[in-house]
Amino acid sequence: MPLRHSGQTTAPSLTASRANEPSALSLAWLFPKTDGPTLQLPTARDSELFIGREDDCGCVLPGQDVSRKHAVLRAEGPHSVLVDLGSRNGTWVNGERIKALVLGEGDVLRVGGWVGVVSKTLGALGALAPGLYGGHALREAVGAAERAAQSDLPIVLEGETGTGKEAVSRAIHEWSGRSGPFVAVNCAALPQALAEGELFGYRRGAFTGAEQASAGYFRAAQHGTLLLDEVCELPLSLQAKLLRVIEQREVQPLGEVKPVKLDVRVLAAAQEPLAQAVAQARFRADLFARLDGLSVRLPPLRERRAEIPYLFTRLLVEGSGARPPTPEVRLVERLCLYDWPFNVRELGLLVKRLLVLHGAEPKLLLRHLPERFRAEPAEAASPPTAPVAGQLPDLEALLEALRASSGNVARAAQALGISRQRAYRMMQGRADVDLDALREPGSDA
């Protein structure tokens, strides 16, 4: 049986790009209930699993907008093929109506009023620590940090803007059991001329304008935890003084003669790997060596699709103060397909916008989303300009751009004139594209 989308778009290219994917995939139905049915995709020869509202279906999805036997999952070689069974409302994968399609990791399915996500690993969704919520992907990322929290092992948190580096830092502080406060400082926001005094403190009259003494961020975090966010933005001269403070466990405020002993757990955070900043001579190698006890990479939200409906629903409930409006299924589907360049922070701001503008309405509709969210997936993935008129870049061109940008997908996509979402789709299912290796200094992966 040929694998096709319901329109003119054929699926052989998708099938080919997924030839190397592991077959151990699961499908979790995450909306309208975040704890909806979960099933293993069939891979055994001749096995199949029906999806529909009838009780004899292997996966029962209640609702009149779901046909009695809506679709079927069939094993084809090592892969699972989703086949629509002539359903009234159609079977949708990644925003497109399909007749038959090989499923791969990260695919978003819509059947009637249900949205599901295909994933290799699924786990319970909930609170990992006070103020930190997610599922398996986030739990796996921060697991080592939780185990190291009660030690004095230095921890570096790496992740794109909005991935929750401060929330994870607060969780590490909670797990540590330290008696002092949690203090966070954005190093990029420190005025260069005043940064030393802001960090290490100063005596009254130590410099012009020092009308009152200041303890500084380090002493403010005594017996607690200090997060140095955007640590790469500190001037190199100040990095040398920071290294001494961390090594000697004491700080000498400006204008003071004697140093002050410190008992502070220092966490560092950056949007890029510190090793990359070292390779570019923007971060001291000796300071990196002192901080790099454990590096934790926080996955961006686009790599956590299975967590998006849960996070969205939770934020709606927390932000409404009452019974929130009910989101329609197409809105949730679109959230799962969106690229989320600003990650969880962007999701939180979207929820606030929806509640302010439409919180009194019974339903949140797709048209209530900002325009960038409402763009069709194919439209969102189209490049604003092509490097050669009428011609789109191929995977080889993307690989060259990724090497040139040290694995930074956003910069590589910009260089090729395509969207970051399109770049990720081009890489989907390619075992020979190793972004982590590309981000290592001197790598030729």
Side-chain angles (χ1 to χ4, degrees), residues 75-419:
E76 187 169 295
H79 304 290
S80 293
V81 180
L82 179 65
V83 182
D84 181 74
L85 297 176
S87 62
R88 182 176 69 256
N89 294 317
T91 301
W92 300 75
V93 178
N94 298 333
E96 297 184 18
R97 189 167 184 167
I98 62 103
K99 288 185 178 178
L101 184 68
V102 175
L103 293 182
E105 184 181 12
D107 282 341
V108 177
L109 280 62
R110 173 160 59 89
V111 170
W114 292 81
V115 172
V117 176
V118 177
S119 177
K120 286 182 183 176
T121 48
L122 296 168
L125 299 164
L128 282 65
L132 182 64
Y133 303 96
H136 177 84
L138 185 59
R139 184 176 290 107
E140 188 175 60
V142 303
E146 182 177 7
R147 293 191 295 274
Q150 294 187 11
S151 72
D152 60 354
L153 185 69
I155 299 177
V156 176
L157 302 171
E158 298 171 352
E160 297 175 7
T161 180
T163 49
K165 294 186 289 294
E166 183 170 336
V168 173
S169 297
R170 290 182 182 276
I172 293 172
H173 175 68
E174 290 291 329
W175 294 328
S176 74
R178 296 183 67 86
S179 61
F182 173 84
V183 177
V185 53
N186 185 347
C187 298
L190 292 175
Q192 187 165 345
L194 303 176
E196 182 176 354
E198 292 292 308
L199 285 175
F200 309 139
Y202 52 85
R203 188 180 66 181
R204 179 183 177 183
F207 53 85
T208 302
E211 298 178 356
Q212 293 183 348
S214 171
Y217 286 108
F218 269 89
R219 283 192 289 173
Q222 186 74 308
H223 305 301
T225 303
L226 175 64
L227 169 64
L228 298 174
D229 198 8
E230 303 298 346
V231 70
C232 291
E233 301 301 319
L234 288 175
L236 288 170
S237 59
L238 192 55
Q239 291 178 24
K241 296 177 181 180
L242 174 60
L243 173 62
R244 179 174 177 79
V245 168
I246 294 175
E247 287 187 332
Q248 301 297 323
R249 295 179 180 268
E250 61 183 25
V251 63
Q252 186 159 349
L254 296 178
E256 296 286 356
V257 176
K258 293 182 179 181
V260 178
K261 289 293 183 183
L262 288 175
D263 172 26
V264 175
R265 173 69 173 279
V266 177
L267 304 176
Q271 293 188 37
E272 60 180 315
L274 290 187
Q276 179 176 309
V278 171
Q280 297 171 355
R282 295 185 291 107
F283 198 76
R284 291 180 63 102
D286 51 3
L287 180 55
F288 169 66
R290 185 63 184 80
L291 292 173
D292 190 37
L294 172 65
S295 292
V296 176
R297 176 187 175 269
L298 300 184
L301 195 54
R302 62 181 172 275
E303 295 179 10
R304 300 163 53 192
R305 283 182 172 178
E307 300 178 22
I308 291 173
Y310 165 76
L311 293 173
F312 178 69
T313 303
R314 182 175 188 91
L315 289 170
L316 271 180
V317 173
E318 288 181 352
S320 65
R323 186 179 180 88
T326 303
E328 71 161 333
V329 65
R330 291 192 304 153
L331 179 147
V332 176
E333 175 193 43
R334 195 58 53 85
L335 296 184
C336 291
L337 292 172
Y338 181 62
D339 193 38
W340 298 106
F342 305 111
N343 296 291
V344 180
R345 182 178 295 127
E346 187 177 12
L347 177 62
L349 194 60
L350 172 67
V351 170
K352 288 182 181 179
R353 170 189 170 126
L354 290 173
L355 289 175
V356 167
L357 299 180
H358 308 288
E361 301 178 33
K363 294 202 72 173
L364 293 177
L365 306 176
L366 179 62
R367 61 182 173 83
H368 292 157
L369 291 175
E371 186 176 352
R372 68 182 184 277
F373 287 86
R374 289 185 278 112
E376 293 296 331
E379 176 186 341
S382 300
T385 57
V388 179
Q391 182 178 348
L392 297 181
D394 58 14
L395 182 63
E396 184 176 351
L398 176 58
L399 286 172
E400 289 300 320
L402 286 168
R403 291 189 185 100
S405 64
S406 300
N408 187 302
V409 179
R411 287 205 297 265
Q414 185 178 22
L416 294 176
I418 62 176
S419 70

Side-chain angles (χ1 to χ4, degrees), residues 27-40:
L27 169 61
W29 294 100
L30 302 167
F31 181 85
K33 299 188 296 181
T34 56
D35 59 349
T38 298
L39 55 113
Q40 191 86 16

